[in-house]
Amino acid sequence: MEIVELTVHELKEKIKNKELTISQIVQAYIERIEEKEKDVEAFITIQKEEALQKAKEIDEKTSNGGDIGDLAGIPIGIKDNICTKGIRTTCASKMLENFIAPYNATVMEKINEKEMISLGKLNMDEFAMGSSTEYSYFKKTKNPWDLSKIPGGSSGGSAAAVAANMVPWALGTDTGGSIRQPASLCGVVGLKPTYGLVSRYGVVAFASSLDQVGVLTKDVQDCSELLNIIAGKDEKDTTSVDVGKKDYTTSLKKDVKGLKIGVPKEFFAEGINAEVKEKILATIEEYKKMGAEVEEFSLDVAQYALATYYIVACAEASSNLGRFDGIRYGYRTKNFKDLKELYKNSRSEGFGAEVKRRIILGTYVLSSGYYDAYYKKAQQVRTLVMNEFDKAFEKYDVIITPTSPTTAFKIGEKSNNPLEMYLSDICTVSINIAGLPGISIPVGVDKDNMPIGMQIIANKFQEETILNVAYAMEQKLKFRENYKPNI
């Protein structure tokens, strides 16, 4: 097996046994990026020289008998809305094309403490707004399973880079499904932690009450390991929660006997592709064989979740993106006669079409005549969604649904139809609205050999439960051994 095909826990073992040096690992990944990036287009910034230099330093340290941590030298990719000191952080937008972050996000501080090596910043939908990574100012990322198809979004660069073996794992962000949906479409593991488990400090905000940093990995064990590093309370983020120090790798026991699984029928209704539905239901049957108890139930607020999400998310985006005006932050137009024109032209030229669409919608729902009818109503429905999930988790340990209603579609197929694009998130947004943890794992492929992802949801701060449920099925299905991307 090639170096770039190994999981992180396999790489760690080879480093420990002195079968591989850090420089060999980083060099292998750099060569892979140089070979495949022209096809996949997953990176906005590649940190080749810095990565090789850091690898050399760590190798020298070990050869001189110095102590290093067990993750020192492991490469990683970072979504380009996470601030990295001294490196461009663009949010895939013309507005921040030349922005070099003066500080590190908290998650980057934690990555750096472990002496991991960043290979670069990964492409995304502009300001994390999109489901296909077609709304990036710089490039359209392709799906490694079929280069004519989208990788999902907004963390499409992160998912595609992991799937194409250009990074062993990556950080992403999830506001309405932006880790889980691309993980599903690219056949990798994607975890959105509970809101508040991971600090958002230094992450460029889209919708502050929904955004959450999470991980994309080759398997569930790596997922647990990376969560160990980034989870934890941060005084710089008042929404982060202290749940104590946990080792999520210890929860991977493969045992689901007696586990109660709820299957919400609304998530298997009209709009879900027949092959996706069939594969998820077949996987749920496997859980039954493993001793889990499965029951269908109704989660009837699901039908309102998408509308609620887009009202709340766009309102918060309108507020958060107000700072990018050509004066305080971001791109400044050269074409203006007065202050009003400076604001208008800077924002018109700096933002892409999808970002403008969401700012306009968000400003509309927050305006005085419509605030009660839309924004206030959406927040009330949000409470109902939370209550429905609370009620469900009194009865079930986990809830299982498809991650995406379809497998990956062709590039350009939905980019001119925003409503159809928004429906890509129908299975994932309610989890963000309720602040719950969710994981997507690959469970098979469709007739065109495109991956199908299954979503496992648990109550707040029950990451151990979903990781174990995901791990048990991953060990049974052995997806990575049986299916490979075409690239």
Side-chain angles (χ1 to χ4, degrees):
M1 194 182 265
E2 286 185 42
I3 291 172
V4 294
E5 290 176 10
L6 300 170
T7 60
V8 170
H9 54 90
E10 289 166 342
L11 286 173
K12 280 169 59 182
E13 200 60 34
K14 292 200 178 291
I15 294 166
K16 189 177 153 190
N17 297 334
K18 298 196 167 25
E19 293 172 54
L20 286 173
T21 65
I22 304 301
S23 295
Q24 284 173 321
I25 292 167
V26 171
Q27 185 64 44
Y29 274 103
I30 294 291
E31 285 171 11
R32 179 73 178 174
I33 291 167
E34 286 174 343
E35 182 193 351
K36 298 298 179 187
E37 171 59 13
K38 64 184 185 304
D39 300 319
V40 180
E41 298 191 280
F43 284 84
I44 290 176
T45 303
I46 298 169
Q47 294 171 256
K48 177 184 172 180
E49 302 308 328
E50 302 100 304
L52 290 169
Q53 180 58 34
K54 197 168 174 188
K56 190 178 161 197
E57 287 166 13
I58 295 170
D59 278 337
E60 281 172 5
K61 191 174 170 184
T62 50
S63 61
N64 294 331
D67 267 352
I68 62 164
D70 65 344
L71 287 169
I74 297 291
I76 189 168
I78 310 295
K79 187 176 179 180
D80 207 18
N81 60 345
I82 296 171
C83 284
T84 43
K85 188 176 181 178
I87 307 290
R88 273 200 317 167
T89 300
T90 70
C91 287
S93 178
K94 183 178 182 179
M95 184 58 83
L96 290 176
E97 185 175 5
N98 301 309
F99 173 64
I100 293 176
Y103 67 99
N104 277 317
T106 296
V107 287
M108 274 315 297
E109 292 285 359
K110 292 185 173 198
I111 295 295
N112 292 339
E113 274 168 29
K114 295 287 179 187
E115 292 188 274
M116 278 194 252
I117 296 176
S118 171
L119 294 177
K121 304 298 288 292
L122 295 160
N123 197 27
M124 55 187 278
D125 284 300
E126 184 182 6
F127 282 100
M129 298 179 193
S131 306
S132 64
T133 315
E134 291 173 280
Y135 298 134
S136 167
Y137 170 66
F138 298 99
K139 54 180 71 171
K140 287 179 171 64
T141 300
K142 320 294 189 299
N143 192 315
W145 292 75
D146 180 342
L147 296 172
S148 70
K149 293 184 175 177
I150 59 120
S154 64
S155 307
S158 299
V162 174
N165 292 322
M166 294 198 285
V167 294
W169 55 11
L171 292 184
T173 63
D174 191 311
T175 307
S178 288
I179 285 172
R180 290 157 291 149
Q181 186 251 14
S184 171
L185 302 193
C186 289
V188 298
V189 175
L191 171 74
K192 181 206 93 73
T194 306
Y195 182 80
L197 185 67
V198 179
S199 172
R200 292 181 298 111
Y201 177 77
V203 179
V204 181
F206 160 16
S208 307
S209 74
L210 301 163
D211 297 343
Q212 188 61 77
V213 180
V215 303
L216 293 112
T217 60
K218 293 178 181 179
D219 70 2
V220 177
Q221 190 173 332
D222 283 0
C223 187
S224 309
E225 185 120 19
L226 193 46
L227 182 62
N228 279 349
I229 295 153
I230 64 170
K233 177 145 178 71
D234 177 18
E235 285 176 8
K236 298 193 194 95
D237 175 6
T238 54
T239 61
S240 76
V241 178
D242 188 0
V243 293
K245 189 73 184 149
K246 291 183 179 182
D247 180 359
Y248 292 100
T249 58
T250 60
S251 62
L252 310 179
K253 299 185 176 76
K254 285 202 285 190
D255 180 22
V256 295
K257 204 169 174 60
L259 184 92
K260 293 185 171 65
I261 297 174
V263 180
K265 59 185 181 198
E266 288 82 1
F267 284 77
F268 293 84
E270 198 183 337
I272 305 296
N273 170 282
E275 284 184 89
V276 171
K277 182 177 175 179
E278 190 183 323
K279 185 60 74 178
I280 305 298
L281 291 174
T283 308
I284 291 168
E285 285 301 312
E286 291 297 325
Y287 279 119
K288 274 191 194 173
K289 290 178 193 169
M290 293 160 78
E293 297 170 25
V294 176
E295 185 177 287
E296 189 180 75
F297 76 107
S298 179
L299 195 66
D300 60 357
V301 292
Q303 59 186 307
Y304 308 113
L306 198 65
T308 303
Y309 167 79
Y310 276 100
I311 290 170
V312 173
C314 292
E316 293 184 14
S318 161
S319 174
N320 279 324
L321 271 59
R323 70 195 72 169
F324 302 108
D325 55 14
I327 293 177
R328 289 171 292 180
Y329 297 97
Y331 167 85
R332 178 183 288 199
T333 184
K334 292 179 174 64
N335 170 32
F336 65 97
K337 292 195 283 292
D338 54 27
L339 183 65
K340 188 177 177 184
E341 212 168 78
L342 169 61
Y343 283 143
K344 182 182 168 186
N345 291 353
S346 295
R347 286 168 70 79
S348 297
E349 293 164 22
F351 288 132
E354 180 60 25
V355 174
K356 288 179 198 165
R357 186 160 32 236
R358 297 198 192 196
I359 289 171
I360 290 165
L361 178 57
T363 307
Y364 175 78
V365 300
L366 288 174
S367 59
S368 59
Y370 300 99
Y371 180 90
D372 284 353
Y374 292 104
Y375 185 70
K376 186 180 174 186
K377 183 74 76 183
Q379 291 290 18
Q380 288 167 335
V381 175
R382 184 179 193 170
T383 304
L384 293 177
V385 173
M386 289 176 176
N387 292 344
E388 282 292 311
F389 275 109
D390 285 345
K391 223 184 321 174
F393 287 122
E394 285 171 14
K395 204 169 179 188
Y396 308 113
D397 298 305
V398 295
I399 292 170
I400 290 181
T401 74
T403 308
S404 170
T406 65
T407 51
F409 46 85
K410 294 275 186 194
I411 291 168
E413 192 180 312
K414 297 183 181 180
S415 50
N416 295 322
N417 187 338
L419 285 179
E420 217 175 292
M421 187 72 88
Y422 295 168
L423 286 168
S424 303
D425 301 329
I426 198 154
C427 298
T428 52
V429 292
S430 53
I431 287 79
N432 296 75
I433 288 170
L436 301 169
I439 193 170
S440 177
I441 60 163
V443 292
V445 295
D446 68 6
K447 64 180 186 306
D448 299 322
N449 197 45
M450 296 305 291
I452 292 169
M454 179 180 77
Q455 179 173 234
I456 306 162
I457 310 151
N459 210 347
K460 288 175 185 166
F461 305 108
Q462 295 299 310
E463 274 74 8
E464 294 102 321
T465 306
I466 55 173
L467 286 164
N468 181 48
V469 174
Y471 183 70
M473 190 50 66
E474 178 185 78
Q475 296 304 301
K476 188 171 181 64
L477 297 178
K478 302 201 181 310
F479 179 85
R480 287 185 69 243
E481 291 173 30
N482 295 319
Y483 305 102
K484 294 273 187 287
N486 293 328
I487 196 160

